[in-house]
Amino acid sequence: MERSAHEVAVPARLRASWQRSERYGAPLDEVEPVFTSTVDDGSLFYECGHEVLENLHQTLANEPVSLMLTDSEGLVLSRLCSDSTILRSLDRVHLAPGFYYSERNAGTNGLGLALADRAPTLVSAEQHYCAGLWGYTCAAAPVVDPATGVLLGSVNLTTWSQSSKQLLLAVAQAAAGNTAALMMARGSGRTPRPAPRGEVFRVYSDRTPSALPLSQGWRQALAEAETAMAQGRVLAVVGEPGAGKTALASLARRSIRPRERVLNARPPAPRDADAWLALWAPELGKDDTCVIVSGVDALPASAAEELADALAGVPASAFTMTADDHTAVPEVLAELIDAVVEVPALRYRPDDIEPLADHFAGRRRFTPAAMRALTAYQWPGNVKQLREVVRQAARADVIDTRHLAPEVFSGATHRLTRIEAVERDEIVRCLTQPGASVAKAATMLGMSRATIYRKIAHYDIKVPGR
């Protein structure tokens, strides 16, 4: 099969894209994009873009439109869509997270051309170079870093080719603009706390490290929780965010009642408090069921009062509470608490880092240098941060220092601006490459050795072996 720009009336930009696609050797019949399991979902661009698309998705939830975020190379980072039919169809052409959809990989398509020309683009039906994409209309708009002008990626909206497309490109442009605006608003380095969503889910035993050889600090807290529960006391488990409060409460319950069902109810947004409580309150008091109510110190006063009323009529064995700070627990709930157990922060139990990291890594293993870096770090985000760092690094079978997040090598005590964080990350990336040295890193970054030494000291960068 041969494609020619004369077969379909196309604008000059599309014609040029077809020509590039032909030079690249892009497939004509079936899309065969490159796949990677490495997707950067920790950047400010991803955070802001995904948030914008999630809000847009709520508006378009009943429409057969797939909302996607890609990086500057056309790698699909995320995809949001509620229409199962179009999702299955997109899966067949690999328009899904982890696949590259640049012109070079997929020929002329909306997001690929938007990235190539750095301009909003609409590609519909037979305007696509590959016949496998003729069933779709793709509208995409590039996202440019508002501070540096660097191309970061694109926002892409895909629907059926026969669907109305008049507003599709405008919506894509608005989403791209909102992403850039949100990045600018957050570019000072301040990281907003995730909005509470009030999830309620079951805690399974295989998700908690019950058999790990953890430290005395953890074992003591666990023993105190088990004792309080065995005595029928209302327990509050407290500690820093991410320290493992829910995990400890769940392990303690199962040590007493191994076959018990454990539910975790996380705090909701204030406007959703009534629906949140109605969702899981009927589970209270059921035989062999315990509810761990998380973050009670973050509840609005009205929600705390309703929760206290619901808890007052059930036995102590039916629930456990967690909080970051027991002194901030609303008074109506604090009056119910008979015992408080504190989970030590991870920095106070460094012996737990290695077994937890191995547990999170599964079958993958760490090099000695990588493990030294993990155990030397202070982990301000506690176990939750460790789990996330290992999850990102575990795309490699053997995890070395170069696979770890740059934050692990920095002991900077002040909050970094976005530009500082990028600079620190680049220095760490260069220093963790095989055979790297300060001199080589300076050359790669275009800095003098004196400057890079000063930067290393400024960010308190510590790389094992350097």
Side-chain angles (χ1 to χ4, degrees):
M1 175 182 175
E2 294 183 359
R3 292 298 322 268
S4 168
H6 299 291
E7 295 176 12
V8 181
V10 295
R13 285 182 59 217
L14 283 171
R15 186 178 300 111
S17 176
W18 278 17
Q19 293 170 349
R20 290 194 297 269
S21 301
E22 184 178 9
R23 290 199 305 270
Y24 294 149
L28 291 167
D29 297 315
E30 295 184 6
V31 184
E32 301 173 354
V34 174
F35 175 77
T36 178
S37 59
T38 304
V39 174
D40 181 12
D41 57 3
S43 66
L44 182 64
F45 165 62
Y46 181 91
E47 171 193 325
C48 296
H50 192 67
E51 181 174 329
V52 168
L53 291 188
E54 282 186 322
N55 292 334
L56 180 58
H57 178 241
Q58 294 178 11
T59 304
L60 301 174
N62 297 321
E63 300 295 330
V65 179
S66 176
L67 314 175
M68 282 165 271
L69 192 70
T70 82
D71 70 6
S72 60
E73 300 298 323
L75 173 64
V76 181
L77 302 176
S78 69
R79 184 181 70 181
L80 297 172
C81 182
S82 299
D83 189 298
S84 59
T85 302
I86 197 169
L87 280 175
R88 288 193 297 269
S89 180
L90 292 175
D91 285 342
R92 286 194 290 271
V93 296
H94 311 298
L95 188 46
F99 288 92
Y100 284 91
Y101 246 76
S102 65
E103 286 182 336
R104 187 178 297 274
N105 285 276
T108 302
N109 67 89
L111 72 89
L113 184 51
L115 292 171
D117 286 353
R118 295 174 62 119
T121 300
L122 183 70
V123 178
S124 183
E126 294 184 12
Q127 292 178 339
H128 289 93
Y129 184 79
C130 176
L133 300 178
W134 287 0
Y136 308 100
T137 289
C138 300
V143 179
V144 176
D145 189 307
T148 66
V150 174
L151 178 66
L152 299 174
S154 73
V155 170
N156 177 58
L157 278 65
T158 297
T159 187
W160 303 119
S161 59
Q162 69 271 22
S163 300
S164 173
K165 54 191 177 186
Q166 299 303 316
L167 295 179
L168 206 62
L169 186 57
V171 173
Q173 289 179 262
N178 290 341
T179 298
L182 191 57
M183 290 183 65
M184 177 63 77
R186 295 181 181 172
S188 63
R190 295 186 298 271
T191 303
R193 185 170 182 170
R197 295 183 294 179
E199 303 100 331
V200 180
F201 59 92
R202 185 169 181 176
V203 181
Y204 290 92
S205 58
D206 60 354
R207 295 181 183 175
T208 52
S210 56
L212 296 184
L214 297 182
S215 65
Q216 177 62 28
W218 172 270
R219 294 198 305 271
Q220 181 176 340
L222 180 61
E224 292 176 1
E226 291 171 350
T227 299
M229 290 177 179
Q231 294 174 349
R233 306 168 73 188
V234 176
L235 174 67
V237 181
V238 303
E240 293 182 5
K245 300 184 289 294
T246 300
L248 184 135
S250 176
L251 287 173
R253 290 299 307 178
R254 287 207 167 86
S255 71
I256 300 170
R257 299 185 179 183
R259 307 180 71 85
E260 186 176 58
R261 183 177 66 142
V262 178
L263 303 179
N264 181 212
R266 293 178 174 176
R271 66 180 182 276
D272 299 326
D274 290 343
W276 169 75
L277 189 57
L279 176 65
W280 61 267
E283 302 299 318
L284 285 169
K286 286 186 177 181
D287 292 340
D288 297 323
T289 296
C290 175
V291 180
I292 301 173
V293 190
S294 296
V296 294
D297 53 336
L299 289 176
S302 58
E305 290 171 359
E306 292 183 19
L307 176 59
D309 290 339
L311 297 178
V314 298
S317 60
F319 66 95
T320 294
M321 292 182 273
T322 78
D324 294 349
D325 181 1
H326 76 277
T327 64
V329 175
E331 184 176 353
V332 291
L333 293 174
E335 292 174 350
L336 302 177
I337 297 171
D338 300 318
V340 175
V341 172
E342 182 174 3
V343 180
L346 188 56
R347 63 182 174 276
Y348 298 131
R349 42 190 179 99
D351 292 344
D352 289 348
I353 294 173
E354 183 170 352
L356 286 171
D358 287 335
H359 172 74
F360 297 143
R363 297 180 180 179
R364 295 167 177 82
R365 63 182 181 86
F366 296 89
T367 64
M371 187 55 71
R372 285 196 299 272
L374 293 178
T375 54
Y377 187 55
Q378 292 295 302
W379 299 107
N382 291 294
V383 179
K384 183 177 181 180
Q385 182 188 15
L386 173 62
R387 181 174 61 244
E388 181 62 20
V389 166
V390 173
R391 185 189 69 83
Q392 293 180 8
R395 294 162 183 151
D397 291 332
V398 178
I399 301 173
D400 197 4
T401 54
R402 68 181 183 277
H403 301 121
L404 300 178
E407 65 200 59
V408 173
F409 304 97
S410 176
T413 56
H414 69 286
R415 187 183 295 275
L416 302 182
T417 67
R418 193 63 192 169
I419 293 177
E420 286 178 323
V422 169
E423 183 176 60
R424 178 205 62 187
D425 292 358
E426 282 299 292
I427 294 172
V428 170
R429 181 184 65 81
C430 293
L431 290 175
T432 54
Q433 295 299 312
S437 66
V438 172
K440 290 180 180 179
T443 301
M444 293 173 65
L445 295 170
M447 297 180 180
S448 68
R449 291 179 65 181
T451 297
I452 199 168
Y453 273 117
R454 187 170 64 252
K455 297 288 186 182
I456 289 173
H458 175 70
Y459 297 122
D460 193 17
I461 295 172
K462 297 180 178 65
V463 178
R466 300 278 180 250

